[in-house]
Amino acid sequence: MRRISHFISGVITSDTRSKIGPVFNPATGAQIAEVEMASSHTVAQAVESASTAFSSWSEVPASARARIMFRFKDLLERRADDFAKMVSLEHGKTLDDARGEIVRGMEVIEFACGIPHLMKGEFSDQVGRGIDTFSKRHAVGVCAGITPFNFPIMVPLWMLPIAIVCGNTFVLKPSEKDPSASLMLAELLMEAGLPAGVLNVVNGGREAVDDLLLHPNVAAISFVGSTIVGEHIYKTAAAHGKRVQALCGAKNHMVVMPDADLDQTVDALVGAAYGSAGERCMAISVAVAVGDVGDELIRRLSPRVRSLKIGAGCNPDTEMGPLVTQEHRAKVLSYIAKGVEEGAELVVDGRRASLCDIDTGFYVGASLFDNVAPSMCIYKDEIFGPVLAIVRVPSLGAAIELINLHEYGNGASIFTSSGDAARAFDHQVSTGMVGINVPIPVPVAFHSFGGWKRSAFGDRNVYGPEGVGFYTRLKTTTSRWSSGTRVSGLAMPTLG
Ligand code: NAD
């Protein structure tokens, strides 16, 4: 059985004290590897390595740090197929989808290559007579990233390229469900010239995370995952004096207006609801049909949902792969049963999908509910599977009110041909990201990603300018040389 260890001080490091967890191929249900769950000793070793590396790495000029990222991006581009195969194997998503997440991750590396410009400070000449003020950004120290299973490459790349080019060192704790890609990224960064200790990877679960949250030498925590865990991380890390950005769960709505182009809308909805088997934090899990558009939407949508090709992610014909684990499959199936119990109309029942030759994998067919009410669990909870709920409302105002009352506020989109409706929606909706005729509005790398309400804790979004802000701290200096005005007396100096 392949054993997946840790990556500390530039080498794969095994720990005999580690407990072991299983890694599955979700397409077959077979265990394909075992992953070491870091003990406190391993986490301490990783943080120690990162702390030691920080003193020299933070002194490397930003342009030299950026050059390593240029090489890293080039190497990743060349090996993208190997990475995509590993992601598909351990996660279950299709190869095309895995390649897509690699490209989105590479875009953040490209952004990080501009760090000399991004870290440029500000200078104010003559704020008082002979006195100047300037501000610059410094690295914060050892940063830790705790990432979810659903984007084993893209989400670590939301964090570590920016943290590292800002002069920090990093300890990554990826999901124990698909841990191999993180080790591959660490090895590639070493090949690109990153000094040992600047990036360390510890595998594991809650215990490893708690060790990172409590460690006095960890200055910043970036988390992406579920809301229940994110809230714990935010509170614990903040209570221990760390800065935290925690991006969490979601229930993303797509509003369909009666004037929407329905061909475009249905295409977008199928991809956004069922791509990656719904295991995306920006997946559309609720379509809000406004006015009388609901019947036509269902008429066009249901045959598309029924005919989705389900199978192993490595099969080029597959449109939708399995879910990540057997437990997660059971959870999604229980939500479908619950939706029926609650009285929603199950238009397409994914439990009946023809999955004959793939019985042992963690598959659930695409499912579609109509007439879902806001009081139902299938509306309120994040299911994180291929289950789309249609809610019918009389007006755009009612659609916006519905979205704004939901506890999550990650993304929302509207499909319409009316500029007025689109603008009103954008202005009034309480989510961190908005799409106008774009179903999954994940911002490009030079903007920043983050939700509102219980979809995020902390006040800095990830990547883009917000990411640079999160991974740096500001120092502002006021300077006077001997020819400047002298301040005397005990009154507050005003520098006039
Ligand atoms: P998860 O919260 O179970 O796990 C995320 C990370 O936290 C993993 O590394 C895991 O090992 C660790 N962890 C799990 N339980 C823990 C605990 N009790 N204490 C400390 N650490 C713990 O999430 P997941 O199932 O891997 O990922 C799916 C979730 O992630 C969904 O809710 C999804 O919406 C969310 N997500 C959000 C975004 C976003 O940007 N908002 C992006 C991707 C995924």
Side-chain angles (χ1 to χ4, degrees):
M1 183 73 61
R2 184 164 64 93
R3 192 172 173 116
I4 302 164
S5 310
H6 317 285
F7 187 86
I8 299 174
S9 300
V11 286
I12 296 285
T13 306
S14 188
D15 175 3
T16 48
R17 272 166 277 212
S18 291
K19 290 181 201 149
I20 298 294
V23 177
F24 294 97
N25 174 354
T28 62
Q31 187 182 342
I32 50 169
E34 51 188 25
V35 58
E36 292 183 5
M37 309 291 274
S39 65
S40 296
H41 170 78
T42 302
V43 174
Q45 244 187 317
V47 176
E48 171 72 29
S49 168
S51 304
T52 308
F54 179 71
S55 52
S56 52
W57 179 246
S58 55
E59 292 298 325
V60 172
S63 49
R65 297 196 297 252
R67 266 176 228 132
I68 294 173
M69 286 298 149
F70 274 106
R71 285 195 288 274
F72 175 45
K73 193 249 164 180
D74 182 43
L75 289 170
L76 183 54
E77 202 159 23
R78 286 197 233 165
R79 312 251 174 95
D81 277 350
D82 298 340
F83 279 80
K85 279 183 197 144
M86 182 56 84
V87 168
S88 174
L89 178 70
E90 291 185 355
H91 175 285
K93 64 176 75 176
T94 64
L95 284 170
D96 275 353
D97 198 27
R99 284 191 201 102
E101 79 158 283
I102 294 167
V103 171
R104 295 307 298 259
M106 280 194 302
E107 288 170 5
V108 181
I109 308 176
E110 285 166 358
F111 173 78
C113 289
I115 199 65
H117 173 73
L118 294 164
M119 278 182 85
K120 264 191 329 205
E122 294 179 322
F123 187 95
S124 297
D125 176 56
Q126 194 76 345
V127 296
R129 290 184 190 282
I131 298 177
D132 306 322
T133 292
F134 53 95
S135 302
K136 53 202 164 65
R137 308 208 70 95
H138 287 253
V140 297
V142 177
C143 302
I146 297 146
T147 54
F149 78 84
N150 66 326
F151 287 110
I153 294 202
M154 183 180 80
V155 170
L157 291 180
W158 281 358
M159 304 170 180
L160 65 91
I162 299 185
I164 287 173
V165 288
C166 286
N168 302 288
T169 54
F170 204 83
V171 179
L172 173 64
K173 206 302 288 168
S175 170
E176 64 278 30
K177 293 174 188 146
D178 45 14
S180 297
S182 288
L183 294 174
M184 289 167 72
L185 286 175
E187 285 177 322
L188 212 60
L189 262 163
M190 292 296 292
E191 199 179 328
L194 193 74
V198 176
L199 172 64
N200 302 276
V201 181
V202 288
N203 280 307
R206 179 181 182 144
E207 286 169 25
V209 171
D210 282 343
D211 285 339
L212 288 168
L213 301 183
L214 303 182
H215 201 296
N217 289 357
V218 175
I221 300 278
S222 299
F223 169 82
V224 176
S226 60
T227 293
I228 187 162
V229 177
E231 189 168 21
H232 157 71
I233 284 182
Y234 175 68
K235 288 180 175 163
T236 312
H240 288 82
K242 303 176 197 320
R243 54 176 67 189
V244 194
Q245 51 178 188
L247 278 77
C248 300
K251 194 83 179 176
N252 305 305
H253 297 61
M254 182 206 272
V255 174
V256 182
M257 296 296 287
D259 62 5
D261 173 337
L262 277 191
D263 288 338
Q264 186 197 21
T265 306
V266 168
D267 276 351
L269 200 43
V270 169
Y274 302 106
S276 205
E279 291 173 323
R280 291 180 181 144
C281 64
M282 289 291 274
I284 295 293
S285 45
V286 182
V288 187
V290 174
D292 58 4
V293 78
D295 289 346
E296 184 59 14
L297 184 65
I298 290 281
R299 195 184 69 75
R300 293 185 188 212
L301 195 55
S302 37
R304 295 281 300 274
V305 177
R306 266 188 210 103
S307 63
L308 281 174
K309 293 194 192 92
I310 298 158
C314 60
N315 178 344
D317 293 335
T318 297
E319 291 176 294
M320 197 179 91
L323 294 170
V324 69
T325 58
Q326 187 66 277
E327 294 71 36
H328 189 50
R329 176 176 184 271
K331 181 181 144 191
V332 173
L333 289 174
S334 77
Y335 269 111
I336 298 174
K338 183 91 182 153
V340 174
E341 246 173 65
E342 287 176 315
E345 185 189 335
L346 186 53
V347 180
V348 182
D349 186 348
R351 299 170 300 180
R352 297 214 184 121
S354 137
L355 304 171
C356 43
D357 54 340
I358 43 181
D359 276 349
T360 51
F362 308 146
Y363 294 93
V364 174
S367 301
L368 177 65
F369 277 106
D370 192 10
N371 290 312
V372 173
S375 57
M376 295 176 182
C377 292
I378 57 163
Y379 174 75
K380 290 190 285 195
D381 299 351
E382 181 183 45
I383 301 174
F384 221 54
V387 183
L388 176 64
I390 310 272
V391 180
R392 297 177 181 233
V393 298
S395 64
L396 175 60
I400 295 172
E401 194 183 344
L402 179 79
I403 297 170
N404 290 354
L405 283 172
H406 204 285
E407 66 168 321
Y408 294 124
N410 217 34
S413 59
I414 184 168
F415 273 64
T416 181
S417 52
S418 155
D420 277 345
R423 190 186 180 283
F425 179 76
D426 181 46
H427 185 66
Q428 293 169 28
V429 78
S430 284
T431 62
M433 292 165 285
V434 176
I436 296 170
N437 297 318
V438 170
I440 300 191
V442 174
V444 288
F446 39 96
H447 286 257
S448 298
F449 181 112
W452 286 10
K453 300 191 279 185
R454 287 179 63 76
S455 288
F457 301 92
D459 64 357
R460 284 283 198 179
N461 288 359
V462 289
Y463 66 76
E466 290 269 302
V468 175
F470 181 75
Y471 292 121
T472 53
R473 50 189 166 174
L474 195 68
K475 183 181 277 179
T476 304
T477 304
T478 301
S479 128
R480 179 185 67 203
W481 294 95
S482 52
S483 57
T485 308
R486 291 190 180 281
V487 180
S488 57
L490 301 185
M492 182 74 180
T494 56
L495 303 182

